[in-house]
Amino acid sequence: MPVSSSPKERIAAIAGSVADEFEATRQILSFDEWFELLCANPRTHARNAAQYLRDAFDFFGRREVRNPSGKISRFRLFDCEFDGGHRLVGQEAAQCGLYDAIEGFVRIGRVNKMLLLHGPNGSAKTTMLEALHRALEAYSRSEEGALYRFSWVFPTKVAARGSIGFGLADYTDPAGAFSEGSSYARLRTAAIEAKLGDEVKDPPLFLIPKTQRARLLEDLCADDETFVLSDVVKGGELSQRNRRIFDGLLASYGGELAKVYQHIQVERLFLSRTYRSGLVTVEPKQAVDARSFAVTGDRAFASLPASIGGQVLFACQGDLVDANRGVINYSDLLKRPYEHYKYLLTATESGKVALDHVMLGLDVVFTGSANDLNLLEFRTLRPGEYQSLRGRLELIPVPYLLDYRVERRVYQEQVGDLLRGIHIAPHVTAILALWGVMTRLRPPNPENYPEKLAAVLRGLTPLEKADLYSYGRVPTGLTSEEARELLAAVPHMYEERFPMAVVGDQPLGDYEGSFGASVRDLKRLLLAVASEPGIRSITVPRLFRELRRYCGDTMQHRWMGLAPQAGFHSLDGEGSVTESAWERWLDLSDREVREAMGLVDEVRYLDLFRRYVVHVSHFIKRERLFDPVTGVLTDPDVKFMKSLEETMDPNAGPSFRADVLSRIGAWALSHPEEEPDYPAIFSDYFGRLREDYYRQQKSTVAKGIARMLELLGDGDERPRESVSLSVSEEEKSRKALAALLGDDDNEGSTRGDRHTRSSLREALVLLSKERY
């Protein structure tokens, strides 16, 4: 639209755009026009709520991601790219569980269970279901997601006022006389005596009598063996009011169905959370979810013909009515009194709910969320009711995240919006995610694994297990065979079940991720740090001060009362998860400084190791290798291999080289079609290569840190006498300082990948004190 457009032209352009969209989305149709769509594409117009939900998943697609157990599908529906809102981070196993359950409903042709997402507080159950509703809302506005409902239209009577006649001559149209068989779907408002909507949102398909409907659909879908005609599509009935109107009109027209269809206006149905149209979330409350009431005396029904108006008509309202044709979500289901949701036993089994005056037919997917503690309590205290309800539930676990790389994205994506104007120093989100994950981990049970792996598992720390889950990084000090066996056991470890953890008389859970610090709590913790007076930057030391306060609140967080086991569940002191997270921050800060000073060259390590693997491979096979420099075949360089082995493992035995190749093979089994990630597979060896190089550079780093602190302290451009640096060292210090501050050498920066002067000063002081 040109900038110089007048207000009238702008309004006209907007109106034209709305009119084009209205026409393109086919928002108003006659029954005959809708029937043509049905015949052309029965898969779209003859699906039930479960098929519609499954198609929404498929519409947005999926992609492969990796979690500790291997490759797994992630559904793009939960990335929420369609509206740019907050996405669901992680939880791919729960996504697949949800999809598989829906696919099960599609296969059997009916929704016969409630999908209950259960997990600890703050594990993203609500986020998951909200993303599902948002996706359905977007899908319903697409061509592939078209849904339709209908209304009854009664034209004005020319000859007399009062009731509505049914003869052709009785009707007028502002555009002219009706032709025989014309639909009233597009009458202008002035020509309509009455229009009756339908709160139940019956599909136009229900206007076709059941016997003829079944034959029609079987004929239309004869060539599509993959499409299942659901029970509700084949046998669904009109609501009580629609049935009375349909039968009354059919009797008035002497059985001429085509004339009944003249009164049908088919309308596009858009699912909406705001207007509770097919998408409803029910909060815990003590109220009925649906009711019926008489509407015959209502003014809107006063002009109906005697064949209809003389009957008792009922309307329905409530959560179930609003959610029909879509998804209903019972938030915190088990916090309601059992009597208020036990009707779900029959509702999910029969697809119907008995109201005061009518039987309400349902085409809806039932979902819900529940806290694990409420579920355990219900199962323990009401075993009879639980067994009855359990048969109607599809339980989908949604545990806390166990991959700190994934959890870090939650804080990066969601907290940043709330902390605008507050700088988040480097590593804050990574360390917070690591600490949170370590509080949720449990020591593996050595009895569940081969004996040769049991000793390794007994010595596994929370930090090592977290690294194993996130990066496939094995602990240092393992033999190649132990490392290979440990990597192969990760998928089993990730899905391991444990004895029920109990604090006092309160059960916490029997799976990893059933207790610990929640993402919700840790987000609040970040906000608490930011709310301190005078705070302009959230740094890791400030974060740890808040973490220690959080760990003191044992009354609100029962999991903190668990007895420590080899560092697991230990929140303070030597070997605790808090100390491990602190040391990891010092490691990251140390590496950050070395990289800024140009003292870390990952490419060098990687090239060395790749060369080593080539020589080892040819050595084991007793083959010669091609030398690109000389152009001739040569023997593997034994001296080169030995020199590298002395650094990687001083105790390397005769089988060391064969073990290296076996370890690569074990990794390849769980990472098919991927190039070997040597730094991840051999993190222990790469760590020793770095350490060897670091030892040689330690004095240089210490001097560089001291000089950077001087420059940060008072801006002095000349080296002080206390720090004696060569020209090269001075240059490295200044370049490192510039790199660490980046382009944001000021206190107003909010970028989390760079320091402010104050956050860098704080990090360097602590690093110097504890490491140098």
Side-chain angles (χ1 to χ4, degrees):
M1 188 184 300
V3 176
S4 60
S5 297
S6 68
K8 287 186 177 180
E9 289 173 329
R10 291 177 183 274
I11 292 175
I14 293 171
S17 176
V18 171
D20 291 342
E21 181 184 0
F22 185 87
E23 184 63 30
T25 54
R26 309 191 71 158
Q27 293 188 26
I28 297 294
L29 299 172
S30 66
F31 182 84
D32 290 350
E33 290 170 331
W34 172 84
F35 192 80
E36 290 177 8
L37 294 179
L38 171 68
C39 294
N41 191 359
R43 284 189 72 113
T44 296
H45 304 285
R47 52 186 170 175
N48 69 352
Q51 289 168 315
Y52 188 83
L53 183 53
R54 189 274 315 271
D55 290 350
F57 271 81
D58 293 342
F59 174 76
F60 292 105
R62 69 177 81 186
R63 56 190 170 92
E64 293 293 317
V65 299
R66 180 170 296 284
N67 70 10
S69 64
K71 283 188 175 181
I72 191 169
S73 291
R74 176 177 176 84
F75 290 90
R76 295 184 185 276
L77 176 154
F78 294 105
D79 290 335
C80 300
E81 295 172 348
F82 45 81
D83 65 4
H86 285 159
R87 67 190 184 101
L88 174 70
V89 178
Q91 299 296 358
E92 285 77 21
Q95 294 176 28
C96 292
L98 185 61
Y99 181 85
D100 290 344
I102 295 165
E103 185 68 42
F105 295 156
V106 172
R107 284 195 300 270
I108 65 173
R110 57 195 294 262
V111 177
N112 65 345
K113 291 184 178 182
M114 168 185 275
L115 306 176
L116 187 67
L117 276 57
H118 68 96
N121 268 329
S123 64
K125 302 180 292 294
T126 299
T127 301
M128 190 173 186
L129 292 171
E130 284 180 350
L132 186 67
H133 280 205
R134 287 157 54 200
L136 287 171
E137 200 167 18
Y139 180 57
S140 73
R141 303 198 74 85
S142 69
E143 183 178 350
E144 295 84 351
L147 287 170
Y148 290 94
R149 62 190 296 178
F150 67 87
S151 297
W152 298 96
V153 175
F154 297 94
T156 58
K157 182 180 180 183
V158 177
R161 296 181 177 181
S163 63
I164 300 173
F166 295 93
L168 186 64
D170 290 335
Y171 300 109
T172 60
D173 179 8
F178 290 113
S179 60
E180 185 69 33
S182 292
S183 169
Y184 310 134
R186 289 190 174 84
L187 285 182
R188 297 179 182 177
T189 303
I192 297 176
E193 184 74 22
K195 178 181 175 180
L196 305 182
D198 169 34
E199 67 280 355
V200 180
K201 303 180 288 295
D202 281 342
L205 192 66
F206 286 6
L207 291 163
I208 303 173
K210 280 199 295 185
T211 303
Q212 291 81 356
R213 187 196 316 164
R215 287 201 296 264
L216 169 69
L217 292 176
E218 288 171 3
D219 181 54
L220 291 176
C221 300
D223 297 330
D224 189 349
E225 296 180 357
T226 63
F227 185 68
V228 177
L229 291 172
S230 65
D231 292 355
V232 70
V233 164
K234 291 187 294 184
E237 294 274 12
L238 291 168
S239 66
Q240 186 265 0
R241 190 170 75 239
N242 283 333
R243 170 55 61 190
R244 294 284 176 87
I245 294 174
F246 181 94
D247 290 345
L249 287 175
L250 191 63
S252 296
Y253 286 126
E256 293 187 55
L257 187 59
K259 289 189 175 181
V260 176
Y261 289 156
Q262 284 183 270
H263 292 269
I264 298 299
Q265 181 186 74
V266 178
E267 305 160 0
R268 184 76 180 263
L269 170 61
F270 297 112
L271 302 184
S272 171
R273 294 168 296 148
T274 302
Y275 302 110
R276 294 170 59 86
S277 177
L279 298 173
V280 174
T281 296
V282 183
E283 299 296 338
K285 60 183 181 181
Q286 297 189 20
V288 294
D289 294 323
R291 72 183 187 92
S292 60
F293 55 94
V295 295
T296 311
D298 191 280
R299 183 176 179 181
F301 296 81
S303 300
L304 294 178
S307 58
I308 299 172
Q311 305 185 60
V312 179
L313 304 180
F314 294 95
C316 304
Q317 67 177 195
D319 298 323
L320 284 170
V321 178
D322 295 340
N324 201 37
R325 304 284 305 280
V327 176
I328 187 167
N329 170 37
Y330 292 88
S331 181
D332 284 322
L333 174 74
L334 300 180
K335 289 184 179 179
R336 307 172 110 202
Y338 175 68
E339 290 70 22
H340 287 268
Y341 59 83
K342 67 180 181 180
Y343 71 86
L344 293 173
L345 293 172
T346 55
T348 52
E349 185 174 359
S350 66
K352 297 178 181 179
V353 173
L355 305 184
D356 293 337
H357 310 95
V358 300
M359 183 68 73
L360 176 65
L362 297 172
D363 179 21
V364 64
V365 176
F366 295 90
T367 66
S369 62
N371 186 287
D372 270 344
L373 295 180
N374 296 130
L375 184 61
L376 289 168
E377 183 180 87
F378 183 73
R379 185 171 66 187
T380 303
L381 300 181
R382 307 188 71 160
E385 289 89 342
Y386 174 78
Q387 289 303 321
S388 299
L389 187 62
R390 180 65 184 87
R392 300 269 69 88
L393 295 178
E394 186 71 35
L395 295 177
I396 300 172
V398 185
Y400 289 139
L401 297 174
L402 300 178
D403 185 334
Y404 61 83
R405 294 177 307 165
V406 175
E407 180 155 327
R408 180 185 183 182
R409 294 200 290 268
V410 178
Y411 309 125
Q412 289 174 324
E413 295 174 12
Q414 298 179 16
V415 178
D417 292 342
L418 302 174
L419 296 178
R420 292 182 181 178
I422 301 291
H423 172 256
I424 301 178
H427 315 308
V428 165
T429 54
I431 295 301
L432 182 63
L434 173 63
W435 187 88
V437 165
M438 286 195 291
T439 67
R440 304 164 196 157
L441 298 179
R442 302 183 67 169
N445 184 354
E447 296 179 1
N448 295 333
Y449 301 87
E451 182 58 36
K452 56 185 174 182
L453 194 56
V456 174
L457 295 178
R458 289 189 187 98
L460 198 66
T461 68
L463 180 61
E464 290 169 342
K465 193 173 188 183
D467 284 341
L468 196 60
Y469 279 174
S470 296
Y471 289 100
R473 184 184 298 156
V474 297
T476 58
L478 301 186
T479 66
S480 291
E481 183 180 6
E482 288 172 335
R484 184 175 67 250
E485 293 291 332
L486 183 59
L487 285 171
V490 170
H492 174 67
M493 195 182 304
Y494 188 64
E495 297 173 359
E496 186 176 359
R497 287 281 177 169
F498 300 87
M500 181 66 69
V502 178
V503 174
D505 59 352
Q506 185 179 52
L508 298 181
D510 60 353
Y511 59 92
E512 207 163 38
S514 61
F515 58 80
S518 73
V519 170
R520 183 185 301 161
D521 283 343
L522 297 185
K523 284 195 291 186
R524 289 196 194 111
L525 191 143
L526 275 177
L527 296 175
V529 177
S531 66
E532 293 179 9
I535 289 293
R536 298 178 63 185
S537 177
I538 298 178
T539 63
V540 172
R542 289 173 182 150
L543 175 67
F544 271 82
R545 285 196 290 272
E546 192 63 38
L547 275 175
R548 289 188 173 92
R549 280 196 287 268
Y550 171 74
C551 291
D553 189 9
T554 56
M555 292 299 294
Q556 295 294 324
H557 309 288
R558 298 295 298 273
W559 59 271
M560 292 182 182
L562 285 168
Q565 292 179 264
F568 290 86
H569 319 316
S570 175
L571 299 179
D572 197 19
E574 185 177 353
S576 68
V577 298
T578 305
E579 183 194 47
S580 297
W582 178 260
E583 289 298 320
R584 174 56 57 85
W585 173 67
L586 290 174
D587 290 341
L588 293 173
S589 298
D590 197 356
R591 180 178 175 80
E592 182 181 40
V593 170
R594 292 175 184 273
E595 286 179 343
M597 294 180 69
L599 300 178
V600 175
D601 188 358
E602 284 297 315
V603 176
R604 175 175 173 269
Y605 304 140
L606 189 56
D607 287 345
L608 272 174
F609 198 83
R610 281 175 176 158
R611 183 181 164 207
Y612 172 78
V613 170
V614 171
H615 281 256
V616 165
S617 177
H618 284 77
F619 177 83
I620 296 294
K621 297 175 184 176
R622 298 185 179 182
E623 297 175 347
R624 308 186 81 195
L625 54 87
F626 178 74
D627 188 334
V629 176
T630 63
V632 298
L633 293 173
T634 63
D635 291 326
D637 190 336
V638 175
K639 184 178 180 180
F640 162 69
M641 290 187 287
K642 283 185 176 179
S643 67
L644 211 60
E645 288 162 0
E646 287 174 0
T647 301
M648 293 189 296
D649 188 352
N651 301 316
S655 64
F656 182 84
R657 293 169 190 169
D659 288 343
V660 167
L661 297 184
S662 297
R663 203 153 146 186
I664 296 171
W667 187 89
L669 288 175
S670 58
H671 298 75
E673 301 178 7
E674 292 185 30
E675 287 294 319
D677 184 357
Y678 292 132
I681 303 171
F682 300 98
S683 60
D684 49 345
Y685 297 161
F686 273 75
R688 289 169 192 157
L689 289 171
R690 293 189 194 101
E691 288 171 9
D692 182 63
Y693 184 60
Y694 285 178
R695 279 192 295 270
Q696 303 170 34
Q697 302 293 333
K698 187 168 184 177
S699 63
T700 301
V701 177
K703 290 179 181 179
I705 291 175
R707 178 56 182 150
M708 282 189 281
L709 283 171
E710 286 185 352
L711 294 173
L712 286 168
D714 56 17
D716 185 6
E717 293 298 324
R718 295 172 289 105
R720 295 185 176 184
E721 293 182 3
S722 59
V723 183
S724 178
L725 301 175
S726 67
V727 174
S728 173
E729 289 172 332
E730 174 72 16
E731 183 182 359
K732 283 182 179 178
S733 298
R734 289 181 178 274
K735 284 185 176 179
L737 183 62
L740 292 167
L741 293 173
D743 297 327
D744 301 311
D745 186 4
N746 60 75
E747 294 304 306
S749 168
T750 58
R751 287 173 56 184
D753 58 342
R754 299 296 184 193
H755 283 282
T756 62
R757 297 181 72 86
S758 61
S759 70
L760 179 57
R761 186 184 304 112
E762 183 180 41
L764 291 177
V765 166
L766 288 166
L767 182 61
S768 178
K769 181 188 297 185
E770 301 205 23
R771 292 287 172 89
Y772 293 93

